[in-house]
Structures are given as C-alpha cells and as structure tokens.
Amino acid sequence: MRTTKLIGALAIACSLACGDGDPPATMDDGGQRACVAPGLTLGQLCSEDAPCDDGCFCNGVERCVEGVCSAGERAACDDGVACTLDACDPATDACAATAADIECDDGDPCNGIEICELTRGCVPGPDPCDDGDDCTVDSCTGEGECEHELADRDDDGFVDQLCGGTDCDDAPSTGASRHPGAPEVCGNELDDDCNGSSDALESCPATNDGCDDARVISASTTLLGTTLGAALDVPSPCVVGGNEPGDVVYRVRLPAERDLSVSAASVTPDDPLTTAVALALRPWDQCAMPEGAPLACRAPDAPTVLRARRLAAGDYALVVTSVAGRGPFELSVEIEAPVDAIEGDGCEAPRTITASGTYSLPLLDLRADIADHCRFGDRGGVDAVYRLVLDAPRDVHIEGENARVAVTSVCGDEGRDDDVRGCGAGALTLRALPAGEHWIVVEDARTDPTAVSLDVDVTIEPVSGEAHDGDVCARAVELAEGVPTTIDPLPFGYELGAACEDPTIRPADDLFVRFTLAEARDVIVGASSSWGPPCAVTITDDCSTRGALACRRTGVLRVPSVPAGEHFAAISCMENTGPVEVRLDTEAPASARANDVCAGAVALEPGRAARVELTAYRDDRRCGHERPDADAFYRLALSARRRVLFFVTPEEGAGPITLGVLDRCDDITPTCRTAEAQADGTIVFEETLEAGEHLVMLEGDPAAIPAARLRVQTTEPR
C-alpha cells in the first residue's frame, strides 16, 4: 500500500516536472493558493519559496530547496495539557484540542469522577456524598457507599441545636466546653450549660461593678445585666429611698452627635419592682463623681426609661442602680441620629400659648439648649420653649413649680441682655407686656427623678391699673439721699430681679427705686429686711437689670463715679422677706483711675507687682461671664514670643478672679481665664504670647475681694 502511494506520488511529481497533466492553479480571493491537494507542489522546479506553497496550513510551509519545492514542518499542535487529544483542523487552519476524561480517572470512587478541563487538565469532580444539608457530616466508604451523620463538629457528644440537637455552641474552635451539663463559668457572659440563661440569670455576680471595669456599648443593643454582688460606687440622686443598693456601669460611646434612649426592666418574674433599677447618665470624665449633677436621671420604674437628646460625640457613663433587691435586668439601648422639631424643645419648634392655662411637655423629649440670659447658673436642667402671642398689651403671670422662667423678645443663643423682658425663679409677673410675639423659656430646676413632665401655669389678664409703687420699674420709688425709705413688697409680683441674685434661692419679690444725681458721685445703696435673708441690689442706667452698672448679692452696694442723671436700682428679695428698708448715700468721687477703662491701660512691668483696688473701679467690660465685676486694664509689651505667668494674690476676702488678654480694646474674642481666689493665696494664669503689645484686664467682685496684687513674669516658651 505504501509502495503504491509512493509510486503514484513520484509519477505525479514527474508529470508536473515534465509539464504534462498540470492541475489547474487555484487562487483564493487574497491572491494566495487555495488548499486543494496537500503536497501538490512538491518536486516542482522553483527559484523561490512562494510558488512552492500548496495553500495548506496543517502540512507546514513548503520551501524552495536547491531549485525543487520541498515539504515544510507540520504544524505543532501540542497544548501541553496531558489529558487532551491535539490535532490540526484543515477546515479552520488551526490547532484543536479535545478533552479525554478517561485519562483523568484515578480509580477512587469516594473523591468523585475526575474530569479533564482544556486549560487546567485533570480536576477533581464533585463530592459524591454531599447531600447539601449543613446539619449532616458526610462520609464515603472505600466501596463508594455514602454515609450521613448529624453534626457534632466539636466532638463533645452533643448535636448542634440548630440541627435539632441540644448543643448551643458546636463550633470546633470554641464549643467543646459548652454543652448541656457543662459547668457554668461566671464572667464570660456565655451560656456554658446551654440552659438558655446567661451569667446574669445564673446567680453570677456583676463584672462591671465600677468605672474601671465598665462594659462598653457603641451601638444599639439589648443585653442582660445584673447588680448582683455589685457595690454602691456612684451614689445617684436618681435613687429615692431603698436599701442595700448597688450599681453597675456601662460606657456608652457615641461617634457623633446622637439621641440616646435607654430602657431597663427587671427580669424577675414574681415581683419586677423588687429588682427595678434607676438610670443616670454622666459625661465619662465624671463617672466616679457622684457630687456632680447627671445629664439625665430616672427613678426606678417598670420599666425605667431615660432619654437624652443631641448628645455630643464622646463617651458617657450609664449607671444602673438597684434600689431594694439586687438582681438581673434587661437593658435596651438605642443610639440614633438626632431628631429635630420636637414640640417645645428649642426655638425651632416652640409650643404656642395664646390663652391662660396649664401647659405640659414630657421631660423625656426635652434637652438643655437655650442660653442662660437670666444668669440663673447652669444646674443641668432641661428647658422648654413656649411662644406667647398677645393680641393686645396684657398682664402675664407665669408659674412653674421649682422652675426658672425667662421671657425674651428674641429666642435662642443670639439673644442679648436687653432682649430679656423678665426673669423669675418659680414665678414671674410681667405688667403690660406689649402685643405681639414673646418667648417663654422654662428650665426644670427639680431634682425629683420621678417627674415625667414639665408643667407651667400661664395667666393672661387685661392690664391692671393697680400696680403698687415700687412693684415695677416704671413706678420706681424716688429715693432721697440720706433718708431711709421702707417698702413692703408683700403684694408685689416678681418682674426682673437683680442680676446677681442667688440662683439657688427662689426670689419671692422684687422692688424698684430710682435716684437722680446732679453731678458724678460715688453711690452707696443698702437694702435690708426686718426679717428674712438680705436682698440683692443692682444699679442700672435704665429700667432693666440687664445692663447693670454693678450688683451685689448681699449687704451694701458701692459704685464709684456714677455719672450725673437718673438711675434705677432693682432689689431682689428672697422668700420670707418682710418690709425692706432702702437707703441711698453719695460721696464725692475719688480720683478716677486712668486704667478704669481700656483706653487708659497702664504699663505692667515684669517682676513688679501692681496693687489693684477693685473697690475703686467700675464694670466696663465683661470677660467670659455675665457678672458685673469691677475691672482694671494694663498694657504688657513683649519684644519676643514669651511664656507669661500672671500671679494674682487677694489681700482679703475670697471669690472668683478673671484675667483676660486682648489684642486691642475692641477685641470681641479675648482670652479669658477664671479661678477661685482667697486671701493670701496666689493663683497663676499662664499664657504664651507673641511679640508686641497686649492688653490685660483683671476682674473681680469688689465686695468679695476689695484689693489684690498682680505680678507678671516672662520666660522662654516651652
């Protein structure tokens, strides 16, 4: 057969070489020879390679060798994959591979039927015993038979409870010690014996007994806790009565401004109130400071609910306190984005009042967010905002039990002293309040943690013409110098009060007097009651306590160099005050101190002490507070950047001293530092100041600290 093919091929080659029987030349559309008969050109005479090409890919490229067309090397079609059959396809002029699965069979029936992939070669087949059920452990016998057993992945002899068994933790890495009958381990917060109860329900003592081992909460959650075995570490005003109390602490972590809602309920089935708990929320840095007022506070209830709105980012201490019996509780914490426009909570959504009545708002929805323009002092109480609309001038009486009341013409922090129409602790009466819109801000001053609402009684009546002399500023009593004047405030209402009145004592009445000076004089005003506490006195240039020239909480008020003209004094008397005797005296003004005003600041030399007689100065500017303190001004020149230490030593008395540093007299953002000072005790204020001239102001209450020494020292910056 091979001989026959060879003879035939030689005959064809000879015929072609001799020019007889030449087959027709076939060309494709591209001008190349088409593959009609492989080897067609072999043996032909040639002078170059091109005429030798038979147009066929699979038998290689023919070449002209020594004048005769010779065969080329066949196409290499090995793809390197052992389990494929490789061949050249003349129809496509390309190599082709065919997978042969039989080449991959390893003879093991338990690892699946192997297959051949064209690119990866032999690959394992699917597990022949996988039943698709996560609750079974699948296996295969040597004969290829499959077996399926329920899961016990941790080999503790108990089937996963998710698969119908009783093992509450079947994970191979952690579950071997947790199964029915296993010993309960207190403190790991796990259900070790799989009885459905956590440590808190297994008579395990609390592990977060104090601030040092507080449990962190950084997202909304519901968890079980207990006060069992806990000591009382952070006594709370939220606990009323009770016995053998104990508390535990959680550290609530807020990444940004958030609203917080906490609910705590006993899980003792017989008597939930036996293990009811109180809740208190504090800034984290005050966790172990029970003397500080909490941000929010709730007495025990079933459940106890505490809410705090718009808390700034940071950490907070949540103290859970038992009252009677210690025990387990369920604690639910919700941390959410702040919610706006809750009625009565802020100037954006006030509750409107147009008629007399009792108005109530839930304490849990309120926050403390309105500036204290009445100088009541920050005691941490929440506040409610009401919008009072009057169709005509009216007498308005506002009363709230243990509440602090302010009425302003502008609502919010942008309000100014002269926007305040009235201030009252517990009650406020405003005579002939003009028609239009007014704002009532009521701050809750109670310490009762059981209170759930903030109530205020508002009485709106026609303007009365029966106001008593001295009851309102418009009917202030005229004082004659050196002549005591007695005024009985019993029938009076409370209108404005004195700027420096004690915010911890509820004022019962205020009264108003006026006097006129023909020339500048030092003025002394005293107000004393025949019985009851003394009265606070403020001297102003107009019918308002907001622009006070000076104020003293008790005793005699002395104001140097009061200018000529009409002046008023507002006198605020506390509860149980009888008739008040008011006396006005004046003296020739002492020589004016040049540095009583900023423009007259005198040089302050490092190393030399300046004696500051605060009784000789007036209140010209307030640095970082609203007290009408006396102030003195100094100039400090520095040739280079320096660390500056200011030493202040009171000669007598005690009280707050403020030191301010200004770039210029009209500087609206001075640096202000305040510290409590006492006689012969030195306080130090430290600042790092740039080269140039700086203005320094020293402020203090002359009635509390009559005189002090100020000394400055400079060193190299740290």
Side-chain angles (χ1 to χ4, degrees), residues 461-492:
E461 298 177 327
V463 176
S464 171
E466 299 179 357
H468 299 273
D469 288 341
D471 186 12
V472 294
C473 190
R475 298 190 62 173
V477 174
E478 182 76 26
L479 294 181
E481 183 176 353
V483 179
T485 300
T486 300
I487 304 173
D488 187 357
L490 181 62
F492 290 5

Side-chain angles (χ1 to χ4, degrees), residues 26 33 89 97 191 267 275 291 293 410 433 452 458 571 615:
T26 304
R33 190 190 303 276
D89 185 356
D191 179 14
V267 293
T275 53
E291 64 276 6
V410 176
L433 192 61
V452 297
V458 179
I571 300 171
T615 54

Side-chain angles (χ1 to χ4, degrees), residues 35 46 64 78 87 218 231 234 247 260 281 335 356 414 416 427 467 696 700:
C35 182
C46 61
C64 181
D78 185 2
S218 57
V234 191
D247 53 36
L260 178 68
L281 185 72
I335 301 173
S356 299
E414 69 274 13
R416 302 175 302 277
V696 179

Side-chain angles (χ1 to χ4, degrees), residues 26-235:
T26 304
M27 307 299 287
D28 60 17
D29 293 342
Q32 301 295 324
R33 190 190 303 276
C35 182
V36 175
L40 175 66
T41 63
L42 296 180
Q44 292 184 7
L45 299 177
C46 61
S47 61
E48 58 182 357
D49 290 342
C52 297
D53 184 7
D54 63 2
C56 298
F57 171 78
C58 291
N59 64 356
V61 179
E62 294 76 17
R63 305 288 183 188
C64 181
V65 180
E66 296 181 354
V68 178
C69 291
S70 304
E73 294 184 4
R74 292 186 174 275
C77 287
D78 185 2
D79 62 1
V81 179
C83 63
T84 60
L85 302 178
D86 308 317
C88 184
D89 185 356
T92 61
D93 284 351
C95 293
T98 303
D101 292 340
I102 190 65
E103 298 292 332
C104 298
D105 187 6
D106 64 357
D108 185 351
C110 286
N111 64 358
I113 299 175
E114 295 78 15
I115 60 174
C116 177
E117 288 190 357
L118 294 179
T119 57
R120 294 192 298 163
C122 293
V123 297
D127 184 353
C129 293
D130 185 3
D131 61 2
D133 186 352
D134 291 338
C135 283
T136 60
V137 177
D138 307 316
S139 61
C140 177
T141 66
E143 291 76 23
E145 296 180 358
C146 296
E147 296 180 349
H148 309 282
E149 295 183 357
L150 288 175
D152 179 16
R153 300 177 185 85
D154 56 7
D155 294 325
D156 61 3
F158 297 89
V159 173
D160 191 339
Q161 66 181 9
L162 298 177
C163 299
T166 57
D167 195 347
C168 55
D169 185 353
D170 202 43
S173 60
T174 62
S177 61
R178 296 184 63 206
H179 54 76
E184 189 69 44
V185 179
C186 288
N188 64 0
E189 299 185 1
L190 298 174
D191 179 14
D192 298 290
D193 59 4
C194 296
N195 67 349
S197 297
S198 69
D199 290 355
L201 299 175
E202 292 285 356
S203 299
C204 288
T207 58
N208 56 330
D209 187 16
C211 300
D212 293 338
D213 51 10
R215 182 174 176 179
V216 175
I217 297 177
S218 57
S220 296
T221 185
T222 297
L223 52 87
L224 285 172
T226 184
T227 56
L228 188 66
L232 182 63
D233 301 296
V234 191

Side-chain angles (χ1 to χ4, degrees), residues 294-499:
L295 298 173
C297 182
R298 302 305 303 163
D301 204 346
T304 306
V305 178
L306 176 149
R307 294 194 189 115
R309 301 191 54 238
R310 290 196 174 278
L311 291 172
D315 287 8
Y316 296 84
L318 176 63
V319 184
V320 182
T321 307
S322 61
V323 177
R326 298 180 178 91
F329 56 85
E330 182 180 77
L331 186 71
S332 294
V333 178
E334 294 183 9
I335 301 173
E336 299 176 317
V339 176
D340 294 324
I342 291 181
E343 185 181 38
D345 184 40
C347 299
E348 298 81 8
R351 183 166 186 183
T352 299
I353 297 175
T354 58
S356 299
T358 298
Y359 295 85
S360 177
L361 288 171
L363 280 172
L364 295 177
D365 286 337
L366 302 177
R367 55 195 166 107
D369 53 5
I370 304 299
D372 178 21
H373 294 301
C374 285
R375 307 186 185 99
F376 286 123
D378 182 13
R379 286 195 277 171
V382 300
D383 48 50
V385 179
Y386 300 86
R387 173 175 168 264
L388 174 64
V389 181
L390 301 179
D391 58 357
R394 293 285 188 264
D395 286 350
V396 177
H397 180 74
I398 306 165
E399 187 165 353
E401 183 179 359
N402 289 320
R404 297 187 287 269
V405 183
V407 175
T408 69
S409 57
V410 176
C411 188
D413 291 345
E414 69 274 13
R416 302 175 302 277
D417 285 347
D418 51 7
D419 294 321
V420 178
R421 293 187 174 274
C423 300
L428 172 65
T429 299
L430 296 171
R431 312 284 189 186
L433 192 61
E437 184 178 74
H438 309 274
W439 304 91
I440 303 174
V441 180
V442 181
E443 182 180 352
D444 182 39
R446 290 170 297 187
T447 58
D448 178 10
T450 64
V452 297
S453 64
L454 179 59
D455 303 324
V456 60
D457 293 321
V458 179
T459 303
I460 303 173
E461 298 177 327
V463 176
S464 171
E466 299 179 357
H468 299 273
D469 288 341
D471 186 12
V472 294
C473 190
R475 298 190 62 173
V477 174
E478 182 76 26
L479 294 181
E481 183 176 353
V483 179
T485 300
T486 300
I487 304 173
D488 187 357
L490 181 62
F492 290 5
Y494 183 89
E495 185 178 21
L496 292 175

